[in-house]
Amino acid sequence: MTPLRALLMSVALLAAPGWLVGGPVPAAAQSVGVVQSDILVVDPERLFEETRLGQAITAQLQQEREDLIALNRKLEAELEAEELALTEQRDTTSPEEFRDLADAFDERVQTIRADSQRRVREHERNRERAPLDFMRRVEPVLVELMREAGAAVVMDRRTVLLQADVVDITSAAVQRIDATLGPAAQDAGDAGTDEGASDAPDATPDREPEPGNDPDSERDSDPENAPAE
């Protein structure tokens, strides 16, 4: 069972017991615009893509990615300049002193690479868990809609083979989420999507630069493609 499907099932279990044992249907069940049905379906992808909260989370992730790319390019340029300066010292420096300088440079590159790889992994984890974190935040809204509909189950539309359109509450859920959680969209970064953005800028690219590489090349379009050794 996927995490999203499991979460949707947990939403159903939160409200189902009272009705399954014959409890009264809430007065809110007569709300205009909410279909009365034991089974409802919702499209989690549409919720994430169409709600202001989901769009804010997506924008935050995109900004984090762009920041990583920009920082990688900046540090790649700095390392390339440092490597060139080191090369120019070869003829004016004793072999022992030059080796010490080269070793120090290599150690710096290794440290930067490790920090960059950590940042990329954090970004990927944030991106992968964002839809599930989003569903957890909107769960109370789905529970409310389920109670208003007198439903016992809310299912993921993507797992349903056939259905009547009337039981799909995705559009109603988008409107309700925007009305209920819309102001929270500006705080979407608090959901953990900017965890790595506050670290010092010296700890970012994941590969040592190769002299002559264009920092604006296509390989820099992804934060994983940081300067290489």
Short mmCIF file of all heavy atoms in Angstrom, two decimals, residues 41-42 156-158 160-169:
data_model
loop_
_atom_site.label_atom_id
_atom_site.label_comp_id
_atom_site.label_asym_id
_atom_site.label_seq_id
_atom_site.Cartn_x
_atom_site.Cartn_y
_atom_site.Cartn_z
N VAL A 41 -14.40 9.71 -3.70
CA VAL A 41 -13.06 9.59 -4.28
C VAL A 41 -12.46 10.98 -4.40
O VAL A 41 -13.17 11.98 -4.53
CB VAL A 41 -13.07 8.89 -5.66
CG1 VAL A 41 -13.59 7.48 -5.55
CG2 VAL A 41 -13.87 9.70 -6.67
N VAL A 42 -11.13 11.03 -4.33
CA VAL A 42 -10.41 12.29 -4.45
C VAL A 42 -9.11 12.02 -5.19
O VAL A 42 -8.55 10.93 -5.10
CB VAL A 42 -10.15 12.90 -3.06
CG1 VAL A 42 -9.14 12.08 -2.29
CG2 VAL A 42 -9.67 14.35 -3.17
N ASP A 156 -8.57 6.95 -3.14
CA ASP A 156 -7.73 7.59 -4.14
C ASP A 156 -8.32 7.30 -5.52
O ASP A 156 -8.46 6.14 -5.91
CB ASP A 156 -6.31 7.04 -4.03
CG ASP A 156 -5.33 7.77 -4.93
OD1 ASP A 156 -5.74 8.31 -5.97
OD2 ASP A 156 -4.12 7.77 -4.60
N ARG A 157 -8.66 8.34 -6.25
CA ARG A 157 -9.31 8.17 -7.55
C ARG A 157 -8.46 7.31 -8.49
O ARG A 157 -8.98 6.58 -9.33
CB ARG A 157 -9.58 9.53 -8.18
CG ARG A 157 -10.16 9.41 -9.60
CD ARG A 157 -10.67 10.72 -10.12
NE ARG A 157 -11.28 10.52 -11.44
CZ ARG A 157 -12.13 11.38 -12.01
NH1 ARG A 157 -12.50 12.46 -11.35
NH2 ARG A 157 -12.63 11.14 -13.20
N ARG A 158 -7.14 7.39 -8.35
CA ARG A 158 -6.27 6.67 -9.28
C ARG A 158 -6.34 5.17 -9.09
O ARG A 158 -5.85 4.41 -9.94
CB ARG A 158 -4.83 7.16 -9.08
CG ARG A 158 -4.62 8.63 -9.42
CD ARG A 158 -3.30 9.15 -8.91
NE ARG A 158 -3.18 9.05 -7.45
CZ ARG A 158 -2.14 9.49 -6.77
NH1 ARG A 158 -1.12 10.05 -7.40
NH2 ARG A 158 -2.11 9.36 -5.46
N VAL A 160 -9.31 3.62 -8.52
CA VAL A 160 -10.69 3.22 -8.80
C VAL A 160 -10.84 2.98 -10.30
O VAL A 160 -10.49 3.84 -11.11
CB VAL A 160 -11.68 4.30 -8.33
CG1 VAL A 160 -13.11 3.91 -8.69
CG2 VAL A 160 -11.54 4.51 -6.83
N LEU A 161 -11.39 1.81 -10.66
CA LEU A 161 -11.55 1.47 -12.07
C LEU A 161 -12.70 2.23 -12.71
O LEU A 161 -12.55 2.85 -13.76
CB LEU A 161 -11.76 -0.04 -12.22
CG LEU A 161 -11.91 -0.56 -13.67
CD1 LEU A 161 -10.66 -0.24 -14.47
CD2 LEU A 161 -12.20 -2.05 -13.66
N LEU A 162 -13.87 2.19 -12.08
CA LEU A 162 -15.05 2.88 -12.60
C LEU A 162 -15.72 3.63 -11.45
O LEU A 162 -15.72 3.17 -10.31
CB LEU A 162 -16.05 1.88 -13.20
CG LEU A 162 -15.59 1.11 -14.44
CD1 LEU A 162 -16.61 0.04 -14.80
CD2 LEU A 162 -15.39 2.06 -15.62
N GLN A 163 -16.33 4.76 -11.79
CA GLN A 163 -16.99 5.55 -10.75
C GLN A 163 -17.98 6.50 -11.39
O GLN A 163 -17.90 6.80 -12.59
CB GLN A 163 -15.96 6.38 -9.98
CG GLN A 163 -15.35 7.47 -10.86
CD GLN A 163 -14.35 8.34 -10.13
OE1 GLN A 163 -13.40 7.83 -9.59
NE2 GLN A 163 -14.58 9.64 -10.13
N ALA A 164 -18.91 6.99 -10.60
CA ALA A 164 -19.79 8.07 -11.02
C ALA A 164 -19.09 9.38 -10.65
O ALA A 164 -18.56 9.52 -9.55
CB ALA A 164 -21.14 7.96 -10.31
N ASP A 165 -19.12 10.31 -11.61
CA ASP A 165 -18.41 11.56 -11.36
C ASP A 165 -18.90 12.28 -10.12
O ASP A 165 -18.15 13.03 -9.49
CB ASP A 165 -18.56 12.49 -12.58
CG ASP A 165 -17.75 12.01 -13.77
OD1 ASP A 165 -16.81 11.22 -13.56
OD2 ASP A 165 -18.05 12.43 -14.90
N VAL A 166 -20.17 12.04 -9.76
CA VAL A 166 -20.74 12.77 -8.65
C VAL A 166 -20.05 12.47 -7.33
O VAL A 166 -20.09 13.27 -6.40
CB VAL A 166 -22.26 12.45 -8.53
CG1 VAL A 166 -22.49 11.03 -8.07
CG2 VAL A 166 -22.95 13.44 -7.59
N VAL A 167 -19.38 11.31 -7.21
CA VAL A 167 -18.74 10.96 -5.94
C VAL A 167 -17.31 11.49 -5.86
O VAL A 167 -16.65 11.31 -4.84
CB VAL A 167 -18.74 9.43 -5.70
CG1 VAL A 167 -20.15 8.89 -5.69
CG2 VAL A 167 -17.87 8.71 -6.73
N ASP A 168 -16.84 12.15 -6.92
CA ASP A 168 -15.50 12.74 -6.91
C ASP A 168 -15.59 14.12 -6.26
O ASP A 168 -16.21 15.04 -6.81
CB ASP A 168 -14.98 12.85 -8.35
CG ASP A 168 -13.51 13.28 -8.40
OD1 ASP A 168 -13.06 13.95 -7.45
OD2 ASP A 168 -12.83 12.94 -9.37
N ILE A 169 -14.97 14.26 -5.11
CA ILE A 169 -15.05 15.52 -4.36
C ILE A 169 -13.79 16.37 -4.53
O ILE A 169 -13.56 17.29 -3.75
CB ILE A 169 -15.31 15.26 -2.87
CG1 ILE A 169 -14.14 14.46 -2.26
CG2 ILE A 169 -16.64 14.56 -2.66
CD1 ILE A 169 -14.16 14.42 -0.74
#
